[in-house]
Amino acid sequence: MAHPMDRYFAPPEGRIFACFPGAEDRPGQRRMAELVHNAVVEGTARFQRWRDGGGEPENRPEAVIQAVEAGTGTGKSLGYLVPALAAGRQPVLVATRTKQLQRQLLEEDVPRASGILGRPIKAVLAKGRANYLCRTAWEAVSTDPHLEFTRADQQLWLALQRWTRETQDGDREGLGRFGEGESPLWDKLNARTERCTGRQCPRFEDCFLTKLRAEVAEADLIIVNHALLLADRVLRESAFGQVLPDAPVLILDEAHDLEEQLTESCAEAWSSRAMQLLFTDLRDAAKGQGAALLALLEPWEKAWGDLLAWVPLEGGVLPLLSPGPEMKALADAVGAWVEAGHPLWMEARRLAGADPENPLWMRLAERVGTAFSRMEQIFAQPEGWVSTVSREGSHLVHFKSNPVDVRPFFHQHVRRGFESVVLTSATLRDGRGFNGLGLRLGLTRPEVEAAEHVDSPFDFEAQGLLFVPPGLPERRAGGGGVGDPAWIEASLSAMERMLRASRGRALLLFTSRKMLAAFRPRLEDALPELTFFVQGDGLSRTQLLERFRATPSAALLGLASFWQGVDLPGDALSLVVVSALPFAPPDDPVLQARIREADAQREGLGFIGIQVPQMTLKLKQGIGRLIRTRGDRGVVAVLDPRLMLPSEDSRGKRYAAQVRAALPPFPLTRDWERVEAFLRNL
């Protein structure tokens, strides 16, 4: 029986074949389009029945949820854009995790979808507020005779002189390399929520955010990242939070990260960076108020410095309320910080009352109050939340209270916010199908059963090999957090041997910074004929990938962010080496709490139901870097004998069957000669 999507995707008459002569038939893409179409139609019908019945808020139905795992090469962007836009339920909201996919959608996939549908599509890319210039802030800063900025910001300052006159959208990306990274000067200029006065601002009508909201309101398609989507849902009750309009259809691409994104967006958080921004804004505002206000600010800044001095120097995420004298001293320091800031808070409120026409002091007083309430909530750690402190480098400290269970937030901000929601990624299933996804997000049994995997068009059995070198020891603790010497030596030897056979053209994925730092010098010494590019060496991700592509006999050494989103089709990449199964650090307090909760239901469920599925999805992401087109060929090597069954290797694990069931169907080999011959022939 014909499906409405056949008009676009069925060969040979489908519109996709008319628009792109020579296009291949992709059954997986066609099936995905059918699933998305069905979900949008069902969601529309469900909400129409509700509206016809009176539309009582308490009877509002929940969104139709459709999960689709679409293997690499499916063409999933068109697989969801065409049916979602064809349904006429605008605007369609597409949320992605990476900038790279946002750009691809806007510049490549939307024009293609427009051609297939035979009509123009108005698409808008919306970013978080801190990406946009605040005109009022620029006026204040550019006329400030006492302005000081860092040497690093001097080039930005020069670039701003021309850019601020020419920019049409105020998006800092238009500043090119001057608009990248953290910048104290940009912090003074951006349209962040904390200091926005909304309609009270004299530049509200020609504000870049006002213009963005108007464009978004007329758009057929709005592209955002996960963080903005969720921040908008969380903040839409406030006067300044909502940028995105109500949308009937949400496509959550790269949805494998959704639990992590919900945890991040719904956490109560405060940081040394947020505090520094507040200090800077208070100091700037105090310039016109004389020395009295600055005298109140100084003890508060000192108390914050004393507080940070109690944060442990070691890296990682630490439980905030763990027993011990350091954490007790830290809690006491928070009390002293609140006490030191109270007079300043009272003065800011007095100034706000004395000048009600000027919203500046009211906003600053609110922000001081927010700082107090956030830290109070974090240190209170209510039931169901885990409070943590972490250092990022020497200066940045994060305090957070993280939800252990994100299912209520998925329900509130996703399920209750739309008519139809599509969750898609190349990696949604673990070895137990979609049950893990359902467990993490709180999907119903029918929603889990409705979830589908659509096949990749790639011939994995012919295009590649999965290699677990024979004789590898299991990695054990030791070696400064890297691994015991026997594992290090065996892994280095295997890496060298494979890199010689592949002549570079390799991506080596490490599970920790310490591991990468330990392996790097040994590999560079052993293989002087290769050029090594290393994440964290000062180049941006984009620059690293560009240089790697352009350099023959090169190897790229990467950490967490290189396990996903890296696209290196063709001859540039013939070998992906996974140094160890990417289990999350077991000392992560939030993960520990989730494991405890699962183990309380059934002993061992935390490991097999949370840790193994999480690891499997990350492993799938890493392995997915290798085969990006039908013409790609290569080897994925996993230097971890735990991927073997106990019957295959004495170091193998029973859960290996569950993990391997979720991986692309590469032939598994342990034969060095087969692997080396395969690599040499590429």
Side-chain angles (χ1 to χ4, degrees), residues 329-340:
L330 183 57
D332 290 344
V334 170
W337 167 75
V338 171
E339 198 174 317

Side-chain angles (χ1 to χ4, degrees), residues 228 242 246 296 369 380 512:
L228 175 57
Q242 187 172 353
D246 291 334
L296 294 175
S512 75

Side-chain angles (χ1 to χ4, degrees), residues 350-367:
R350 186 191 71 75
L351 288 165
D355 188 5
E357 293 300 308
N358 181 359
L360 171 70
W361 283 107
M362 181 53 72
R363 294 288 289 136
L364 284 168
E366 286 170 359
R367 287 171 63 191

Side-chain angles (χ1 to χ4, degrees), residues 595-637:
I595 291 168
R596 281 195 301 272
E597 207 170 78
D599 284 345
Q601 295 175 44
R602 192 176 79 241
E603 187 59 38
L605 183 61
F607 179 71
I608 208 68
I610 294 176
Q611 288 177 280
V612 171
Q614 271 187 5
M615 179 277 290
T616 303
L617 291 179
K618 187 164 184 187
L619 181 62
K620 281 176 75 172
Q621 283 285 332
I623 286 174
R625 301 310 99 214
L626 183 67
I627 305 296
R628 310 300 296 174
T629 71
R630 286 182 193 252
D632 290 351
R633 299 180 76 221
V635 171
V636 172

Side-chain angles (χ1 to χ4, degrees), residues 255-501:
H256 53 274
D257 267 343
L258 192 53
E259 182 184 29
E260 190 181 316
Q261 293 288 341
L262 281 162
T263 305
E264 185 74 21
S265 296
C266 298
E268 285 289 342
W270 194 248
S271 69
S272 55
R273 175 168 164 73
M275 197 69 247
Q276 210 53 55
L277 287 174
L278 180 50
F279 285 148
T280 300
D281 291 348
L282 282 165
R283 197 176 296 105
D284 288 346
K287 284 176 183 172
Q289 301 295 328
L293 203 73
L294 288 171
L296 294 175
L297 182 57
E298 282 171 17
W300 200 33
E301 286 187 288
K302 182 184 181 304
W304 180 254
D306 294 344
L307 184 163
L308 293 183
W310 285 107
V311 176
L313 290 172
E314 66 262 27
V317 181
L318 302 171
L320 194 53
L321 302 185
S322 57
E326 275 186 339
M327 292 304 174
K328 169 74 169 67
L330 183 57
D332 290 344
V334 170
W337 167 75
V338 171
E339 198 174 317
H342 198 264
L344 177 77
W345 188 29
M346 299 307 289
E347 178 62 9
R349 291 164 72 179
R350 186 191 71 75
L351 288 165
D355 188 5
E357 293 300 308
N358 181 359
L360 171 70
W361 283 107
M362 181 53 72
R363 294 288 289 136
L364 284 168
E366 286 170 359
R367 287 171 63 191
V368 175
T370 296
F372 290 152
S373 64
R374 289 265 177 91
M375 288 292 274
E376 188 180 318
Q377 284 174 286
I378 291 165
F379 275 78
Q381 188 171 289
E383 190 175 341
W385 295 72
V386 173
S387 294
T388 60
V389 59
S390 62
R391 269 193 189 274
E392 200 177 301
S394 55
H395 300 299
L396 190 51
V397 174
H398 294 278
F399 297 94
K400 276 186 189 168
S401 185
N402 309 271
V404 175
D405 184 358
V406 302
R407 291 175 296 183
F409 298 104
F410 178 82
H411 183 84
Q412 180 182 348
H413 299 311
V414 180
R415 189 193 297 279
R416 300 285 297 172
F418 302 89
E419 295 179 9
S420 308
V421 176
V422 175
L423 308 173
T424 187
S425 167
T427 53
L428 287 181
R429 294 179 308 160
D430 54 56
R432 298 182 168 196
F434 291 97
N435 289 330
L437 181 75
L439 188 70
R440 293 194 303 278
L441 300 181
L443 303 188
T444 64
R445 176 51 44 193
E447 286 167 347
V448 171
E449 288 169 356
E452 269 195 42
H453 164 80
V454 298
D455 285 329
S456 163
F458 299 155
D459 184 355
F460 290 101
E461 295 192 5
Q463 288 181 247
L465 295 173
L466 175 59
F467 179 44
V468 181
L472 279 175
E474 185 179 337
R475 178 173 171 247
R476 300 187 187 284
V482 177
D484 59 293
W487 176 81
I488 292 172
E489 291 305 320
S491 298
L492 274 165
S493 172
M495 287 178 185
E496 289 171 24
R497 193 168 168 181
M498 285 184 284
L499 284 165
R500 284 196 178 94

Side-chain angles (χ1 to χ4, degrees), residues 58-240:
E58 62 271 21
N59 298 326
R60 179 187 166 93
E62 294 171 355
V64 171
I65 307 282
Q66 176 65 63
V68 187
E69 183 181 78
T72 314
T74 304
K76 65 178 165 57
S77 300
L78 290 178
Y80 60 66
L81 285 176
V82 171
L85 291 163
R89 299 290 297 128
Q90 270 80 357
V92 172
L93 196 54
V94 175
T96 79
R97 195 188 67 84
T98 59
K99 279 184 182 176
Q100 180 189 349
L101 181 52
Q102 290 176 359
R103 282 276 153 220
Q104 179 198 310
L105 284 165
L106 194 65
E107 294 166 9
E108 299 174 27
D109 296 319
V110 168
R112 287 173 184 152
S114 176
I116 293 164
L117 291 166
R119 61 178 171 82
I121 296 166
K122 181 169 171 44
V124 176
L125 172 56
K127 300 180 182 180
R129 302 173 58 109
N131 289 284
Y132 299 97
L133 177 74
C134 169
R135 290 187 187 274
T136 301
W138 170 245
E139 284 177 3
V141 167
S142 60
T143 55
D144 181 356
H146 306 295
L147 179 68
E148 295 178 1
F149 44 78
T150 63
R151 182 180 297 177
D153 271 339
Q154 284 177 344
Q155 288 184 305
L156 172 61
W157 175 250
L158 293 173
L160 282 164
Q161 307 306 313
R162 181 174 175 182
W163 177 78
T164 50
R165 293 195 302 270
E166 296 178 350
T167 179
Q168 297 297 302
D169 56 12
D171 182 351
R172 77 182 288 200
E173 194 174 330
L175 285 159
R177 62 191 175 90
F178 305 118
E180 294 177 354
E182 288 193 5
S183 156
L185 176 57
W186 182 255
D187 286 339
K188 289 178 180 288
L189 297 173
N190 67 39
R192 52 193 161 93
T193 307
E194 299 100 319
R195 58 159 176 243
C196 178
T197 55
R199 292 185 178 276
Q200 292 174 285
C201 176
R203 301 300 301 266
F204 179 79
E205 292 305 324
D206 66 341
C207 168
F208 290 117
L209 282 177
T210 304
K211 183 180 176 185
L212 176 67
R213 283 196 185 96
E215 287 181 1
V216 159
E218 295 175 2
D220 304 309
L221 177 73
I222 305 161
I223 301 167
V224 297
N225 67 14
H226 291 177
L228 175 57
L229 167 75
L230 295 171
D232 191 76
R233 302 298 308 172
V234 171
L235 295 174
R236 55 181 31 225
E237 309 307 319
S238 77
F240 310 105

